[in-house]
Amino acid sequence: MAPVAMRTAAQSLSDAQPVSFWLDDPEKPAALPALTGDERCDLLVIGGGYSGLWTALLAKERDPERDVVLIEGHEVGWAASGRNGGFCAASLTHGLPNGLDRWPDEIKKLEELGEHNLDAIEAAVARYSIDCEFERTGEIDVATEPHQLEELREWHQETEKLGFTGTEFLDRDALRAEVDSPTFLGGLWDRRGVAMLHPAKLAWGLKRACLGLGVRIYEHTRGLELAGTTAGMAVRTPYGRIFAHRVALGTNIFPSLVKRVRPYTVPVYDYALMTEPLTADQLASIGWRNRQGLGDSANQFHYFRLSADNRILWGGYDAIYPYGGRLNADLDQRPETFLKLAGQFFECFPQLEGVRFSHAWGGAIDTCSRFSAFFGTAYRGRVAYAAGYTGLGVGATRFGADVMLDLLAGERTERTGLEMVRSKPMPFPPEPFAWTGIELTKRSLARADRNGGHRNLWLRTMDRLGLGFDS
């Protein structure tokens, strides 16, 4: 970055608050009291993010008489569920290309289930009056390099031949009529498969809906230890114990209480900026009247969208893996990444020179080697888990909640019969091999972005093994 551009980027960050914009809300609900003493229930849900909240809500919808307790170690929605970009996608497989590569024989069923899942989320938002700024605007995959444009064109033609007709190819002029950036060469618009929403308000709305159905929620209550009993399961918490017939784990990036699950995920830190609200003239200078979500097509990609009050969220690009996979709150703030993101923002939208960022934040997401969630049971079917959403959990966690409930019921369903549900990703190796492999993959992906998309021997080997890593 040139010195002048670096100075401009730095000045734009001078007032940025080091917290998630979504969580920095005066209407944020107060935390509920922690559990003190012992508790008993039919189903215990551990984790107060989307995964746990959907599980508790769907459990009560399936059986209103079921006694459900949810515990959260901090506050509902405080982690990845309250700091993501708010892209709620229909895809259950981290995009059609990933799903088609991994499960070609069942990809049409996975796409159907994903569409139904997104429709069900939209219906639940309406049914429970969840004011989460839900907008079914779709998402545009943007090409900023010639090789990306050709790849998008070829992919669009291929998917139409396979019968997937939900996308529209946009050439340079058509794309810039939607959102105007001198870096845009074309794009692929999925008009119905993605919704934009306020992620924290979704979590808070699900919390309110759960309480309304009779779920008992305890915040600031960590699940410390899991053990089997003659009648079910027991979970130790800081101030008491919970005895439950069944347990659903929605802890995702945090160390699983089923220890054998831990090698399947690693934490990767993702970062985002939010601008101040754009003026009418600033918004007019870039168009964006249809408010789609956008993401560029590089391996190290950006995701960006408009908020309800016309701010631009700009995130992605850097994906930071801490050696040993240790979670560290200090990594939630990374000034060198924020500076890089700010400079890239003004390269994309030079007409917005002078806009400042109000918030800058980051945090860990749970990443697995196949990029989409995996599922399983433990303790002879009394415990179920879902994890590994790899940044695409805003929508897919509801599907994962249904899978966990099916597994706990011991039911053979359309969901539990899927190869995606029955299989596991490849676990990550121990250190130093995990760090070395991830770093080598990241550098190779960055090199591919600079070299017309050419994938070196390392990346081609990872492709053959069904492994990968990006931001």
Side-chain angles (χ1 to χ4, degrees):
M1 196 187 309
V4 173
M6 183 174 293
R7 186 162 58 251
T8 298
Q11 289 170 347
S12 71
L13 292 162
S14 62
D15 298 321
Q17 297 298 304
V19 294
S20 165
F21 166 78
W22 311 115
L23 294 171
D24 188 20
D25 189 327
E27 300 301 316
K28 176 183 175 182
L32 295 169
L35 173 69
T36 55
D38 290 351
E39 181 70 275
R40 283 173 167 76
C41 60
D42 297 324
L43 173 66
L44 170 63
V45 179
I46 301 179
Y50 298 141
S51 189
L53 291 164
W54 280 118
T55 303
L57 185 70
L58 293 175
K60 291 295 284 186
E61 287 184 346
R62 290 186 181 197
D63 180 3
E65 300 304 313
R66 181 164 15 195
D67 188 17
V68 180
V69 168
L70 182 149
I71 61 172
E72 162 55 43
H74 188 52
E75 295 183 17
V76 163
W78 76 278
S81 297
R83 60 180 179 234
N84 62 81
F87 287 63
C88 186
S91 177
L92 305 175
T93 61
H94 212 279
L96 179 58
N98 189 52
L100 193 58
D101 283 346
R102 298 183 189 281
W103 301 288
D105 294 338
E106 62 186 28
I107 187 60
K108 289 191 176 180
K109 176 55 63 179
L110 287 167
E111 289 290 295
E112 290 172 7
L113 289 170
E115 291 170 10
H116 171 76
N117 185 64
L118 181 55
D119 290 342
I121 291 172
E122 185 171 15
V125 165
R127 183 166 63 255
Y128 294 107
S129 301
I130 298 175
D131 181 17
C132 63
E133 300 162 12
F134 189 99
E135 298 179 278
R136 196 83 173 253
T137 59
E139 180 180 6
I140 303 176
D141 196 3
V142 174
T144 57
E145 297 288 343
H147 74 273
Q148 296 169 7
L149 184 62
E150 288 310 305
E151 288 170 357
L152 287 181
R153 193 191 309 273
E154 291 171 4
W155 174 246
H156 181 239
Q157 293 170 350
E158 181 182 347
T159 54
E160 289 209 318
K161 289 178 183 176
L162 292 171
F164 299 106
T165 58
T167 59
E168 176 185 350
F169 182 79
L170 305 175
D171 63 17
R172 176 184 177 277
D173 291 342
L175 174 56
R176 292 187 63 175
E178 292 294 333
V179 186
D180 190 12
S181 166
T183 67
F184 291 175
L185 302 180
L188 201 57
W189 186 359
D190 179 354
R191 287 182 173 269
R192 291 285 300 166
V194 183
M196 298 292 107
L197 54 77
H198 187 303
K201 286 184 178 179
L202 175 61
W204 299 335
L206 290 173
K207 173 185 175 180
R208 188 180 68 251
C210 285
L211 292 170
L213 294 183
V215 176
R216 300 195 301 287
I217 298 176
Y218 299 98
E219 295 179 84
H220 297 291
T221 302
R222 287 182 60 205
L224 301 174
E225 187 178 19
L226 187 65
T229 68
T230 55
M233 301 301 301
V235 174
R236 183 169 62 87
T237 73
Y239 305 123
R241 295 171 300 171
I242 305 174
F243 299 93
H245 295 301
R246 297 288 185 268
V247 175
L249 298 178
T251 50
N252 294 298
I253 192 52
F254 299 99
S256 177
L257 292 180
V258 177
K259 292 183 180 179
R260 70 169 183 266
V261 176
R262 295 179 185 180
Y264 289 104
T265 62
V266 295
V268 172
Y269 282 77
D270 183 51
Y271 299 92
L273 305 175
M274 183 70 93
T275 71
E276 62 191 354
L278 300 187
T279 66
D281 287 344
Q282 288 169 333
L283 188 59
S285 73
I286 59 172
W288 216 343
R289 291 174 297 278
N290 291 315
R291 303 180 57 81
Q292 310 95 328
L294 288 94
D296 62 57
S297 302
N299 293 308
Q300 289 185 286
F301 67 93
H302 304 91
Y303 54 87
F304 40 120
R305 48 84 48 107
L306 289 170
S307 67
D309 59 349
N310 291 329
R311 302 167 185 262
I312 296 178
L313 178 140
W314 179 264
Y317 194 80
D318 271 350
I320 306 302
Y321 168 70
Y323 185 88
R326 290 185 294 272
L327 295 172
N328 184 347
D330 291 341
L331 291 175
D332 290 354
Q333 290 292 305
R334 197 167 191 268
E336 58 266 45
T337 292
F338 297 145
L339 187 63
K340 188 185 302 180
L341 285 172
Q344 292 163 341
F345 174 85
F346 291 113
E347 289 174 9
C348 182
F349 294 121
Q351 59 269 56
L352 296 181
E353 182 180 357
V355 166
R356 302 175 75 85
F357 295 99
S358 62
H359 295 76
W361 72 94
I365 60 175
D366 62 327
T367 299
C368 75
S369 60
R370 73 182 194 187
F371 286 96
S372 53
F374 62 93
F375 315 90
T377 61
Y379 292 91
R380 300 186 302 280
R382 296 174 179 175
V383 176
Y385 57 82
Y389 291 97
T390 317
L392 211 69
V394 180
T397 44
R398 185 193 174 280
F399 173 81
D402 263 329
V403 170
M404 284 195 285
L405 292 171
D406 289 350
L407 293 172
L408 289 174
E411 296 176 352
R412 173 80 174 190
T413 67
E414 187 175 41
R415 289 178 288 264
T416 61
L418 293 166
E419 174 64 20
M420 177 194 174
V421 170
R422 293 185 288 112
S423 63
K424 294 284 193 300
M426 185 175 291
F428 289 92
E431 299 293 9
F433 304 107
W435 186 88
T436 302
I438 290 171
E439 284 299 308
L440 184 55
T441 303
K442 286 172 55 182
R443 293 176 188 181
S444 297
L445 288 168
R447 188 177 299 117
D449 285 338
R450 297 191 298 269
N451 295 331
H454 175 72
R455 298 175 77 81
N456 63 16
L457 178 60
W458 175 261
L459 292 180
R460 294 198 302 273
T461 302
M462 294 296 101
D463 292 341
R464 284 195 296 272
L465 294 174
L467 301 173
F469 185 84
D470 64 23
S471 60

